[in-house]
Amino acid sequence: AKLHAYLKFKNVKDLFEPDKEIITYDNFNDLKDKIQFLTNNKNLIKEVSINGHKRLKKDHTDKIRSAEYLKLINDLINLNNQ
């Protein structure tokens, strides 16, 4: 029970800024609309992909993620030892 309450999983919208660094959709109709819109806005596709790649290299590298996992493991060990 302690472990379940401790873990918080992030949604992609928490990791990247929607419509600036990633394109997301809420349902099938939203997906269809965004595909249609983006098909006619190639420059936006390029801009979002560049922004998303920059964010990935800044905040989501293997080194950063590994450090987060190590901290999580250490915190869980400490939580279990209390």
Side-chain angles (χ1 to χ4, degrees), residues 16 20-23 42-56:
F16 294 91
K20 182 178 177 191
E21 300 169 334
I22 192 168
I23 302 296
K42 305 276 188 207
N43 288 338
L44 181 60
I45 294 171
K46 185 169 183 122
E47 181 182 333
V48 170
S49 67
I50 289 169
N51 290 338
H53 188 252
K54 286 179 185 176
R55 180 70 177 269
L56 177 76

Side-chain angles (χ1 to χ4, degrees), residues 3 6-7 71-81:
L3 175 62
Y6 180 80
L7 295 176
K71 182 182 181 325
L72 174 64
I73 291 167
N74 285 327
D75 289 350
L76 290 172
I77 290 170
N78 291 335
L79 182 67
N80 194 38
N81 289 331

Side-chain angles (χ1 to χ4, degrees), residues 2-77:
K2 286 183 186 179
L3 175 62
H4 184 268
Y6 180 80
L7 295 176
K8 292 185 258 180
F9 295 99
K10 294 182 179 178
N11 186 302
V12 71
K13 292 179 180 181
D14 298 326
L15 302 172
F16 294 91
E17 188 176 334
D19 300 324
K20 182 178 177 191
E21 300 169 334
I22 192 168
I23 302 296
T24 61
Y25 59 92
D26 296 319
N27 55 51
F28 185 71
N29 286 332
D30 188 30
L31 172 62
K32 288 191 319 185
D33 291 345
K34 287 189 179 182
I35 289 171
Q36 182 67 38
F37 176 77
L38 292 169
T39 299
N40 297 317
N41 291 280
K42 305 276 188 207
N43 288 338
L44 181 60
I45 294 171
K46 185 169 183 122
E47 181 182 333
V48 170
S49 67
I50 289 169
N51 290 338
H53 188 252
K54 286 179 185 176
R55 180 70 177 269
L56 177 76
K57 289 172 53 177
K58 178 181 172 266
D59 294 332
H60 305 296
T61 64
D62 294 342
K63 184 177 181 179
I64 291 169
R65 198 64 67 232
S66 296
E68 289 175 350
Y69 287 138
L70 285 174
K71 182 182 181 325
L72 174 64
I73 291 167
N74 285 327
D75 289 350
L76 290 172
I77 290 170

